[in-house]
Amino acid sequence: MKPFAFARPGSVAEAVREVSAEPNAVFLGGGTNLVDHLKLGVARPDLVVDVRTLTSRETTDTDDGGLLVGAAVSNSEIAADRRVRERYPVLAQALLAGANGQLRNLATVGGNPLQRTRCVYFQDVTTACNKREPGSGCTAVGGYTRYHAVLGVPAALPDATAADTCIATHPSDMAVALAALDAVVHVLGPRGARTLPFRELHRLPGDDPSRDTVLGHGDLVTAIELPPLPMAARSTYRKVRDRASYAFALVSVAAALDLDGDTVRDVRLALGGVAHVPWRATRAEEVLRGGPATEHAFRAAAEAELAAAQPQPGVDGGNGFKIPLLTRTIPATLRDLTEGATS
């Protein structure tokens, strides 16, 4: 581990100033992701700024019926909050599916969506990785791709040694639920406070795979806002993984459904384990809105969303299995919600 300076500022504003002033500085919240990367030599900051005791640990009701969750609220606390379990069950379920109890006690609401990829090549400093070292190549292309992306990747990837791309998937279960819920991110940065839709927080690799989000250096997430969304009371999260204990998603689905009899009045869908970002399934939503809540319609929506999927070949047989797996998982998740509506 590279030696680094450590700071405990007295306020959020001071923390932002300290990180902004040091080009190779990082914020430390719960540390469940950063500490691992410090040990592995993946993260090599000159300054680590502790913000865990600076941002809010409160979850408050907003005037319009939503919730404002402070960035320092732990994943355990928000998953156990009665208001979240009743109004946004998909979020509570995603958090409980995302890690063991010890990690949930440490991980924070502000930090969880910002965690970096768990691609084995990203975490192995002996391999080429455009996310870790832009322009070095992507060892994952043609390598072990079981956990890698099928959506949001180029149709034809160039040679792996020269590719300026990344096919890793975003690891956060919580982020998939937040994408489905139209959450809002509160940020304090060098230019002051601002908000942005959660769906705009993460970015595809584009020409700079090293950047996971649109946040600039010194930008600190101070809270996550859950908007009033009555349909979210009928929501759920389904995660398919290699083992039932703590494991990352092969695929996952966050869904909320608003029914008018047997007709889909509105729907929210987001997918995990399939893209570099928490993937909002807007094509599937469009197919479903105004149509019947039937197995055939659910499958048609899944197929529409996956029409642009690009399965990746690999030495492990590749990840083409994710497409039929999702084609079954999306309808199964929606079926759970329709059965709950009629029981």
Side-chain angles (χ1 to χ4, degrees), residues 70-146:
V73 174
S74 74
N75 286 185
S76 291
E77 290 168 333
I78 195 64
D81 192 293
R82 177 185 54 79
R83 295 164 295 180
V84 173
R85 298 199 312 270
E86 292 177 355
R87 299 184 212 171
Y88 311 96
V90 63
L91 177 57
Q93 293 169 16
L95 286 164
L96 293 174
N100 59 35
Q102 293 93 328
L103 286 173
R104 289 197 302 269
N105 289 341
L106 286 173
T108 62
V109 167
N112 182 292
L114 302 183
Q115 61 186 299
R116 306 210 69 188
T117 173
R118 297 307 207 285
C119 172
V120 294
Y121 300 109
F122 174 73
Q123 298 197 135
D124 181 355
V125 296
T126 67
T127 63
C129 173
N130 287 317
K131 180 174 285 295
R132 191 172 4 91
E133 296 180 33
S136 64
C138 178
T139 310
V141 176
Y144 291 93
T145 58
R146 180 173 179 81

Side-chain angles (χ1 to χ4, degrees), residues 6-11 15 26-30 48-54:
F6 186 77
R8 281 191 174 132
S11 68
V26 295
F27 294 113
L28 171 69
V48 173
V49 177
D50 186 355
V51 297
R52 180 63 185 259
T53 61
L54 301 181

